[in-house]
Amino acid sequence: MKNILKVALFTAGIFTFGQTQAQTHKDSTLGHKIGTTAKKVGHKTSQIAATGAAAITDKKYEGKCGPQGQTVYINKNSHYFYVNKKGHRVYLKKSQLMDKPM
């Protein structure tokens, strides 16, 4: 009698566990949207902070621009760079600089 009760409780537990797992989503679309939005906000914040810091501490190169038209800065060591969408400095060779369109 005890074994039958144990088996019945065990199967009921497996059945309930299976039902609860069937109703949950492992990669929730809301969680995914929150994660991507947070990442976008972080990248934009980093870009704005890096651009502001470069505008204050470094010199702007007026006649040239980056590969996609970005503002080019010159640091204290005479290296040319622009700030990408993630807020990182991308250093350029002088041959990679393009004339700014008028």
Side-chain angles (χ1 to χ4, degrees):
M1 186 70 177
K2 288 183 181 180
N3 286 338
I4 294 174
L5 185 62
K6 288 179 186 177
V7 170
L9 285 174
F10 181 72
T11 54
I14 290 177
F15 179 72
T16 353
F17 179 74
Q19 291 297 324
T20 57
Q21 291 299 317
Q23 295 177 2
T24 60
H25 299 294
K26 290 188 179 180
D27 64 336
S28 173
T29 56
L30 181 62
H32 178 69
K33 286 181 183 177
I34 290 172
T36 33
T37 304
K39 190 178 286 187
K40 286 180 185 178
V41 168
H43 288 324
K44 191 63 176 178
T45 304
S46 177
Q47 179 189 11
I48 291 171
T51 304
I56 292 171
T57 60
D58 301 318
K59 188 176 174 184
K60 222 185 248 190
Y61 198 167
E62 293 297 329
K64 301 285 185 173
C65 65
Q68 280 86 37
Q70 300 95 339
T71 304
V72 175
Y73 300 97
I74 307 170
N75 66 4
K76 64 182 179 182
N77 299 322
S78 298
H79 294 131
Y80 304 102
F81 71 93
Y82 68 90
V83 178
N84 69 0
K85 289 184 179 182
K86 291 185 177 182
H88 298 130
R89 289 183 174 190
V90 179
Y91 288 92
L92 302 168
K93 296 177 186 174
K94 191 155 186 152
S95 61
Q96 292 175 309
L97 298 175
M98 297 172 38
D99 290 329
K100 210 175 241 188
M102 294 293 180

Short mmCIF file of all heavy atoms in Angstrom, two decimals, residues 3-51:
data_model
loop_
_atom_site.label_atom_id
_atom_site.label_comp_id
_atom_site.label_asym_id
_atom_site.label_seq_id
_atom_site.Cartn_x
_atom_site.Cartn_y
_atom_site.Cartn_z
N ASN A 3 3.87 1.55 -1.22
CA ASN A 3 4.52 1.69 -2.52
C ASN A 3 3.57 2.29 -3.55
O ASN A 3 3.98 3.10 -4.38
CB ASN A 3 5.05 0.35 -3.01
CG ASN A 3 6.30 -0.07 -2.24
OD1 ASN A 3 6.97 0.78 -1.67
ND2 ASN A 3 6.58 -1.36 -2.22
N ILE A 4 2.31 1.91 -3.51
CA ILE A 4 1.33 2.45 -4.45
C ILE A 4 1.14 3.94 -4.21
O ILE A 4 1.06 4.73 -5.15
CB ILE A 4 -0.02 1.69 -4.32
CG1 ILE A 4 0.15 0.23 -4.77
CG2 ILE A 4 -1.10 2.38 -5.14
CD1 ILE A 4 -1.06 -0.63 -4.54
N LEU A 5 1.11 4.33 -2.94
CA LEU A 5 0.97 5.75 -2.59
C LEU A 5 2.19 6.54 -3.06
O LEU A 5 2.06 7.64 -3.61
CB LEU A 5 0.78 5.89 -1.08
CG LEU A 5 0.51 7.30 -0.57
CD1 LEU A 5 -0.78 7.85 -1.16
CD2 LEU A 5 0.45 7.33 0.94
N LYS A 6 3.39 5.97 -2.88
CA LYS A 6 4.61 6.64 -3.33
C LYS A 6 4.62 6.82 -4.84
O LYS A 6 4.97 7.88 -5.37
CB LYS A 6 5.85 5.85 -2.90
CG LYS A 6 6.15 5.91 -1.43
CD LYS A 6 7.37 5.07 -1.11
CE LYS A 6 7.62 4.99 0.37
NZ LYS A 6 8.76 4.11 0.69
N VAL A 7 4.23 5.77 -5.55
CA VAL A 7 4.20 5.83 -7.02
C VAL A 7 3.16 6.86 -7.48
O VAL A 7 3.40 7.63 -8.42
CB VAL A 7 3.92 4.43 -7.62
CG1 VAL A 7 3.65 4.51 -9.11
CG2 VAL A 7 5.09 3.50 -7.34
N ALA A 8 2.02 6.89 -6.83
CA ALA A 8 0.97 7.84 -7.21
C ALA A 8 1.43 9.28 -6.97
O ALA A 8 1.21 10.16 -7.82
CB ALA A 8 -0.30 7.55 -6.44
N LEU A 9 2.07 9.54 -5.86
CA LEU A 9 2.57 10.88 -5.58
C LEU A 9 3.69 11.27 -6.56
O LEU A 9 3.77 12.41 -7.02
CB LEU A 9 3.08 10.97 -4.14
CG LEU A 9 2.02 11.04 -3.05
CD1 LEU A 9 2.66 10.99 -1.67
CD2 LEU A 9 1.20 12.30 -3.20
N PHE A 10 4.54 10.30 -6.87
CA PHE A 10 5.63 10.56 -7.82
C PHE A 10 5.09 10.92 -9.20
O PHE A 10 5.53 11.89 -9.83
CB PHE A 10 6.54 9.33 -7.89
CG PHE A 10 7.71 9.51 -8.80
CD1 PHE A 10 8.76 10.35 -8.45
CD2 PHE A 10 7.76 8.86 -10.03
CE1 PHE A 10 9.84 10.53 -9.29
CE2 PHE A 10 8.83 9.04 -10.88
CZ PHE A 10 9.88 9.87 -10.51
N THR A 11 4.11 10.17 -9.69
CA THR A 11 3.55 10.47 -11.02
C THR A 11 2.78 11.77 -11.01
O THR A 11 2.81 12.53 -11.98
CB THR A 11 2.64 9.32 -11.49
OG1 THR A 11 1.65 9.06 -10.50
CG2 THR A 11 3.43 8.07 -11.80
N ALA A 12 2.11 12.08 -9.92
CA ALA A 12 1.40 13.36 -9.82
C ALA A 12 2.40 14.51 -9.83
O ALA A 12 2.17 15.56 -10.46
CB ALA A 12 0.54 13.40 -8.56
N GLY A 13 3.52 14.33 -9.17
CA GLY A 13 4.55 15.36 -9.16
C GLY A 13 5.15 15.57 -10.55
O GLY A 13 5.36 16.70 -11.00
N ILE A 14 5.42 14.49 -11.26
CA ILE A 14 5.95 14.61 -12.63
C ILE A 14 4.93 15.28 -13.54
O ILE A 14 5.27 16.13 -14.37
CB ILE A 14 6.35 13.21 -13.16
CG1 ILE A 14 7.58 12.72 -12.43
CG2 ILE A 14 6.60 13.26 -14.67
CD1 ILE A 14 8.01 11.33 -12.82
N PHE A 15 3.66 14.91 -13.40
CA PHE A 15 2.61 15.50 -14.22
C PHE A 15 2.50 17.01 -13.97
O PHE A 15 2.41 17.80 -14.90
CB PHE A 15 1.27 14.82 -13.92
CG PHE A 15 0.13 15.38 -14.71
CD1 PHE A 15 0.01 15.12 -16.06
CD2 PHE A 15 -0.83 16.16 -14.09
CE1 PHE A 15 -1.03 15.63 -16.79
CE2 PHE A 15 -1.88 16.68 -14.81
CZ PHE A 15 -1.99 16.42 -16.17
N THR A 16 2.53 17.42 -12.71
CA THR A 16 2.43 18.86 -12.41
C THR A 16 3.67 19.60 -12.89
O THR A 16 3.56 20.70 -13.41
CB THR A 16 2.28 19.10 -10.90
OG1 THR A 16 2.12 17.91 -10.20
CG2 THR A 16 1.19 20.05 -10.59
N PHE A 17 4.82 19.01 -12.71
CA PHE A 17 6.06 19.65 -13.17
C PHE A 17 6.04 19.82 -14.69
O PHE A 17 6.42 20.87 -15.21
CB PHE A 17 7.27 18.81 -12.75
CG PHE A 17 8.57 19.38 -13.21
CD1 PHE A 17 9.11 20.50 -12.59
CD2 PHE A 17 9.26 18.81 -14.26
CE1 PHE A 17 10.31 21.03 -13.00
CE2 PHE A 17 10.46 19.34 -14.69
CZ PHE A 17 10.99 20.45 -14.05
N GLY A 18 5.56 18.81 -15.39
CA GLY A 18 5.48 18.89 -16.86
C GLY A 18 4.52 19.97 -17.32
O GLY A 18 4.78 20.68 -18.29
N GLN A 19 3.41 20.13 -16.61
CA GLN A 19 2.43 21.16 -16.97
C GLN A 19 2.98 22.56 -16.72
O GLN A 19 2.74 23.48 -17.50
CB GLN A 19 1.13 20.95 -16.20
CG GLN A 19 0.37 19.73 -16.61
CD GLN A 19 -0.09 19.81 -18.06
OE1 GLN A 19 -0.44 20.86 -18.55
NE2 GLN A 19 -0.05 18.68 -18.74
N THR A 20 3.69 22.74 -15.63
CA THR A 20 4.22 24.08 -15.34
C THR A 20 5.34 24.44 -16.31
O THR A 20 5.50 25.59 -16.68
CB THR A 20 4.74 24.18 -13.89
OG1 THR A 20 5.74 23.19 -13.68
CG2 THR A 20 3.62 24.02 -12.90
N GLN A 21 6.15 23.46 -16.70
CA GLN A 21 7.24 23.74 -17.65
C GLN A 21 6.72 24.02 -19.04
O GLN A 21 7.34 24.73 -19.82
CB GLN A 21 8.23 22.56 -17.69
CG GLN A 21 9.03 22.41 -16.42
CD GLN A 21 9.86 23.65 -16.14
OE1 GLN A 21 10.48 24.21 -17.02
NE2 GLN A 21 9.88 24.07 -14.89
N ALA A 22 5.57 23.48 -19.40
CA ALA A 22 5.01 23.71 -20.72
C ALA A 22 4.48 25.13 -20.86
O ALA A 22 4.37 25.65 -21.97
CB ALA A 22 3.88 22.71 -20.98
N GLN A 23 4.18 25.78 -19.76
CA GLN A 23 3.59 27.11 -19.83
C GLN A 23 4.61 28.24 -19.71
O GLN A 23 4.26 29.39 -19.88
CB GLN A 23 2.53 27.25 -18.74
CG GLN A 23 1.36 26.33 -18.95
CD GLN A 23 0.36 26.43 -17.84
OE1 GLN A 23 0.52 27.21 -16.92
NE2 GLN A 23 -0.69 25.62 -17.92
N THR A 24 5.85 27.94 -19.40
CA THR A 24 6.85 29.00 -19.28
C THR A 24 7.67 29.09 -20.56
O THR A 24 7.91 28.09 -21.24
CB THR A 24 7.81 28.72 -18.10
OG1 THR A 24 8.46 27.48 -18.32
CG2 THR A 24 7.07 28.70 -16.78
N HIS A 25 8.11 30.30 -20.88
CA HIS A 25 8.96 30.53 -22.04
C HIS A 25 10.37 30.79 -21.54
O HIS A 25 10.58 31.65 -20.69
CB HIS A 25 8.48 31.74 -22.84
CG HIS A 25 7.10 31.58 -23.37
ND1 HIS A 25 6.77 30.66 -24.32
CD2 HIS A 25 5.94 32.23 -23.07
CE1 HIS A 25 5.47 30.75 -24.60
NE2 HIS A 25 4.94 31.70 -23.85
N LYS A 26 11.32 30.06 -22.10
CA LYS A 26 12.68 30.23 -21.62
C LYS A 26 13.28 31.55 -22.07
O LYS A 26 13.97 32.20 -21.34
CB LYS A 26 13.54 29.06 -22.07
CG LYS A 26 13.16 27.79 -21.34
CD LYS A 26 14.10 26.69 -21.62
CE LYS A 26 13.66 25.48 -20.83
NZ LYS A 26 14.49 24.34 -21.01
N ASP A 27 13.04 31.95 -23.32
CA ASP A 27 13.54 33.25 -23.76
C ASP A 27 12.32 34.13 -24.01
O ASP A 27 11.78 34.20 -25.09
CB ASP A 27 14.43 33.13 -25.00
CG ASP A 27 13.70 32.61 -26.23
OD1 ASP A 27 12.68 31.93 -26.08
OD2 ASP A 27 14.15 32.89 -27.32
N SER A 28 11.91 34.78 -22.98
CA SER A 28 10.74 35.64 -23.03
C SER A 28 11.00 36.81 -23.96
O SER A 28 12.08 37.39 -23.98
CB SER A 28 10.42 36.16 -21.63
OG SER A 28 9.41 37.12 -21.69
N THR A 29 10.03 37.16 -24.79
CA THR A 29 10.23 38.27 -25.71
C THR A 29 10.36 39.58 -24.96
O THR A 29 11.10 40.46 -25.38
CB THR A 29 9.07 38.35 -26.71
OG1 THR A 29 7.84 38.47 -25.99
CG2 THR A 29 9.02 37.12 -27.58
N LEU A 30 9.68 39.72 -23.84
CA LEU A 30 9.79 40.94 -23.06
C LEU A 30 11.19 41.08 -22.47
O LEU A 30 11.80 42.14 -22.53
CB LEU A 30 8.75 40.96 -21.93
CG LEU A 30 8.75 42.20 -21.05
CD1 LEU A 30 8.44 43.43 -21.89
CD2 LEU A 30 7.77 42.05 -19.93
N GLY A 31 11.73 39.99 -21.94
CA GLY A 31 13.08 40.01 -21.40
C GLY A 31 14.11 40.30 -22.49
O GLY A 31 15.08 41.02 -22.26
N HIS A 32 13.88 39.77 -23.67
CA HIS A 32 14.79 40.02 -24.80
C HIS A 32 14.74 41.49 -25.21
O HIS A 32 15.78 42.10 -25.46
CB HIS A 32 14.42 39.12 -25.97
CG HIS A 32 15.26 39.33 -27.18
ND1 HIS A 32 16.60 38.97 -27.21
CD2 HIS A 32 14.99 39.87 -28.38
CE1 HIS A 32 17.10 39.28 -28.40
NE2 HIS A 32 16.14 39.82 -29.12
N LYS A 33 13.53 42.05 -25.26
CA LYS A 33 13.39 43.46 -25.63
C LYS A 33 14.05 44.37 -24.60
O LYS A 33 14.69 45.36 -24.95
CB LYS A 33 11.91 43.83 -25.78
CG LYS A 33 11.27 43.29 -27.03
CD LYS A 33 9.82 43.70 -27.13
CE LYS A 33 9.16 43.07 -28.34
NZ LYS A 33 7.74 43.41 -28.41
N ILE A 34 13.89 44.04 -23.35
CA ILE A 34 14.50 44.84 -22.28
C ILE A 34 16.02 44.79 -22.39
O ILE A 34 16.71 45.80 -22.28
CB ILE A 34 14.02 44.36 -20.89
CG1 ILE A 34 12.55 44.71 -20.70
CG2 ILE A 34 14.85 44.99 -19.78
CD1 ILE A 34 11.93 44.11 -19.47
N GLY A 35 16.54 43.60 -22.65
CA GLY A 35 17.99 43.44 -22.78
C GLY A 35 18.56 44.22 -23.95
O GLY A 35 19.58 44.90 -23.83
N THR A 36 17.90 44.14 -25.11
CA THR A 36 18.41 44.87 -26.28
C THR A 36 18.25 46.36 -26.10
O THR A 36 19.14 47.12 -26.51
CB THR A 36 17.68 44.44 -27.57
OG1 THR A 36 16.35 44.10 -27.29
CG2 THR A 36 18.37 43.32 -28.26
N THR A 37 17.17 46.80 -25.51
CA THR A 37 16.99 48.23 -25.28
C THR A 37 18.03 48.76 -24.30
O THR A 37 18.60 49.84 -24.52
CB THR A 37 15.57 48.51 -24.74
OG1 THR A 37 14.62 47.98 -25.66
CG2 THR A 37 15.32 49.99 -24.58
N ALA A 38 18.30 48.00 -23.25
CA ALA A 38 19.31 48.42 -22.29
C ALA A 38 20.69 48.50 -22.96
O ALA A 38 21.47 49.42 -22.68
CB ALA A 38 19.35 47.45 -21.12
N LYS A 39 20.97 47.56 -23.84
CA LYS A 39 22.25 47.58 -24.55
C LYS A 39 22.35 48.79 -25.46
O LYS A 39 23.38 49.46 -25.52
CB LYS A 39 22.41 46.29 -25.37
CG LYS A 39 23.80 46.11 -25.94
CD LYS A 39 23.92 44.82 -26.71
CE LYS A 39 23.98 43.67 -25.76
NZ LYS A 39 24.27 42.38 -26.42
N LYS A 40 21.25 49.12 -26.17
CA LYS A 40 21.25 50.30 -27.05
C LYS A 40 21.45 51.58 -26.25
O LYS A 40 22.20 52.47 -26.67
CB LYS A 40 19.93 50.38 -27.83
CG LYS A 40 19.80 49.39 -28.94
CD LYS A 40 18.46 49.56 -29.64
CE LYS A 40 18.24 48.51 -30.68
NZ LYS A 40 16.91 48.64 -31.33
N VAL A 41 20.78 51.67 -25.12
CA VAL A 41 20.91 52.86 -24.27
C VAL A 41 22.34 52.98 -23.75
O VAL A 41 22.92 54.07 -23.74
CB VAL A 41 19.89 52.80 -23.10
CG1 VAL A 41 20.20 53.85 -22.06
CG2 VAL A 41 18.48 52.98 -23.63
N GLY A 42 22.93 51.88 -23.37
CA GLY A 42 24.31 51.89 -22.89
C GLY A 42 25.28 52.32 -23.97
O GLY A 42 26.19 53.12 -23.72
N HIS A 43 25.09 51.81 -25.20
CA HIS A 43 25.97 52.20 -26.31
C HIS A 43 25.83 53.69 -26.62
O HIS A 43 26.82 54.39 -26.86
CB HIS A 43 25.68 51.38 -27.56
CG HIS A 43 26.13 49.96 -27.48
ND1 HIS A 43 27.28 49.56 -26.84
CD2 HIS A 43 25.59 48.83 -27.98
CE1 HIS A 43 27.43 48.25 -26.94
NE2 HIS A 43 26.40 47.79 -27.63
N LYS A 44 24.60 54.19 -26.64
CA LYS A 44 24.37 55.60 -26.95
C LYS A 44 24.97 56.49 -25.85
O LYS A 44 25.58 57.53 -26.16
CB LYS A 44 22.87 55.87 -27.10
CG LYS A 44 22.55 57.21 -27.68
CD LYS A 44 23.11 57.34 -29.09
CE LYS A 44 22.71 58.63 -29.72
NZ LYS A 44 23.26 58.79 -31.06
N THR A 45 24.80 56.10 -24.60
CA THR A 45 25.38 56.87 -23.49
C THR A 45 26.90 56.91 -23.60
O THR A 45 27.52 57.96 -23.44
CB THR A 45 24.97 56.25 -22.15
OG1 THR A 45 23.55 56.18 -22.09
CG2 THR A 45 25.49 57.05 -20.98
N SER A 46 27.49 55.77 -23.93
CA SER A 46 28.94 55.69 -24.08
C SER A 46 29.41 56.55 -25.24
O SER A 46 30.43 57.24 -25.15
CB SER A 46 29.35 54.24 -24.29
OG SER A 46 30.73 54.14 -24.51
N GLN A 47 28.66 56.53 -26.35
CA GLN A 47 29.03 57.34 -27.52
C GLN A 47 28.97 58.83 -27.19
O GLN A 47 29.89 59.59 -27.52
CB GLN A 47 28.09 57.04 -28.69
CG GLN A 47 28.40 57.87 -29.91
CD GLN A 47 27.34 57.74 -31.00
OE1 GLN A 47 26.29 57.18 -30.76
NE2 GLN A 47 27.62 58.26 -32.16
N ILE A 48 27.93 59.26 -26.52
CA ILE A 48 27.79 60.68 -26.17
C ILE A 48 28.88 61.12 -25.21
O ILE A 48 29.48 62.20 -25.36
CB ILE A 48 26.38 60.95 -25.58
CG1 ILE A 48 25.33 60.80 -26.67
CG2 ILE A 48 26.30 62.32 -24.95
CD1 ILE A 48 23.91 60.81 -26.17
N ALA A 49 29.19 60.27 -24.23
CA ALA A 49 30.24 60.61 -23.26
C ALA A 49 31.60 60.69 -23.95
O ALA A 49 32.38 61.62 -23.69
CB ALA A 49 30.27 59.58 -22.15
N ALA A 50 31.90 59.73 -24.82
CA ALA A 50 33.20 59.72 -25.50
C ALA A 50 33.32 60.89 -26.48
O ALA A 50 34.39 61.50 -26.60
CB ALA A 50 33.39 58.40 -26.24
N THR A 51 32.24 61.21 -27.17
CA THR A 51 32.26 62.34 -28.09
C THR A 51 32.44 63.65 -27.33
O THR A 51 33.21 64.52 -27.76
CB THR A 51 30.95 62.40 -28.91
OG1 THR A 51 30.78 61.14 -29.57
CG2 THR A 51 30.97 63.48 -29.94
#
